[in-house]
Amino acid sequence: MSRHAFLLALCGLTVVAAGAADKVFVGAEVCGQCHGGGHRDQLDTWYRSPHARAYAVLALPESAEIARISGINESPFSNPVCLGCHATASDVEAWQLDPTFHIEDGVQCELCHGPGGGYIAEEIMTDPDAAMAAGLRKPDQRTCMVCH
């Protein structure tokens, strides 16, 4: 077993066939294993942001009212228009969600940076070109403008 496969198994991640891994969402907590703590604690910054609560706000009465005014006659939790901006990976197949991924975590790292399954290995993430080739995206203002 490779070091990468061992680490994935240790973290409870599903090891998927080559080629499919780049489309697997692993979730914010997995990203935070490397991007948490220290002087640039991205996980904590995300956790304290409105993005981490984006899914939860769909439960507010105001969300149901916004949906109604918008002509949406179903729960914001089941509508693709609402979920598109309030939840990462709401429109993907089940095989693309690692057991560590939780839609309830709202707008997570992978909405902007792409599914992490292909680039989470340390040897890939420490090489920016390899990470980009493996699916890492660098968001820009246009990325934000899709929802904002």
Side-chain angles (χ1 to χ4, degrees):
M1 177 182 283
S2 72
R3 180 176 182 268
H4 174 64
F6 174 75
L7 289 173
L8 288 172
L10 189 63
C11 293
L13 296 173
T14 304
V15 179
V16 297
D22 61 342
K23 296 177 178 63
V24 174
F25 289 82
V26 297
E29 291 296 321
V30 171
C31 299
Q33 290 175 2
C34 295
H35 296 283
H39 72 283
R40 293 182 60 199
D41 188 347
Q42 291 116 331
L43 182 67
D44 189 55
T45 299
W46 164 79
Y47 188 74
R48 289 182 285 114
S49 78
H51 290 129
R53 295 180 299 283
Y55 184 83
V57 302
L58 295 176
L60 296 174
E62 298 93 89
S63 297
E65 181 63 11
I66 291 168
R68 187 191 67 75
I69 291 170
S70 300
I72 297 170
N73 296 319
E74 61 185 308
S75 166
F77 287 111
S78 58
N79 185 273
V81 173
C82 302
L83 291 173
C85 289
H86 286 266
T88 300
S90 63
D91 60 345
V92 303
E93 301 291 328
W95 68 265
Q96 293 177 272
L97 302 175
D98 193 87
T100 58
F101 179 86
H102 306 286
I103 195 170
E104 299 84 6
D105 288 338
V107 176
Q108 303 174 51
C109 319
E110 295 167 292
L111 183 69
C112 301
H113 294 290
Y119 59 82
I120 61 171
E122 182 180 1
E123 62 270 14
I124 295 174
M125 281 299 289
T126 55
D127 178 345
D129 292 332
M132 297 294 284
L136 175 65
R137 295 190 307 244
K138 299 285 184 169
D140 59 18
Q141 186 176 12
R142 289 176 298 187
T143 308
C144 303
M145 296 305 292
V146 170
C147 294
H148 296 280

